[in-house]
Amino acid sequence: MRKYVVINTSEVPVIDFSKVEETSQYTLRFSADESKTFVKFEGDTPSQLEGKTQYSHSEMLDILATDEWTDPNAGPE
């Protein structure tokens, strides 16, 4: 089962991208204020993410639907 972990942007440099599904810092989605991002993985928890809260897909969708992650003032692209 795929798991999701929200991290602070300052933690991006220590992420081992060979252990998560994102390929680099350039493929991450950031919160509206760019202070947070998230990574997803399957299987064993990467060591950099141990002890952090893990979310299911549906829980992550609920998080991403909040104003913290979606700029309510942004119009369609």
Side-chain angles (χ1 to χ4, degrees), residues 8-21:
N8 292 321
T9 303
S10 61
E11 297 175 85
V12 170
V14 301
I15 295 300
D16 181 350
F17 286 97
S18 69
K19 307 272 187 207
V20 297
E21 294 192 20

Side-chain angles (χ1 to χ4, degrees), residues 71-77:
D71 184 349
N73 298 316
E77 293 184 22

Side-chain angles (χ1 to χ4, degrees), residues 12-51:
V12 170
V14 301
I15 295 300
D16 181 350
F17 286 97
S18 69
K19 307 272 187 207
V20 297
E21 294 192 20
E22 292 71 25
T23 56
S24 75
Q25 66 185 23
Y26 304 109
T27 60
L28 296 171
R29 177 176 170 181
F30 292 89
S31 59
D33 68 2
E34 298 186 4
S35 68
K36 296 179 184 176
T37 187
F38 67 94
V39 292
K40 55 188 173 284
F41 63 93
E42 290 191 33
D44 294 336
T45 303
S47 61
Q48 307 94 338
L49 303 176
E50 287 180 0

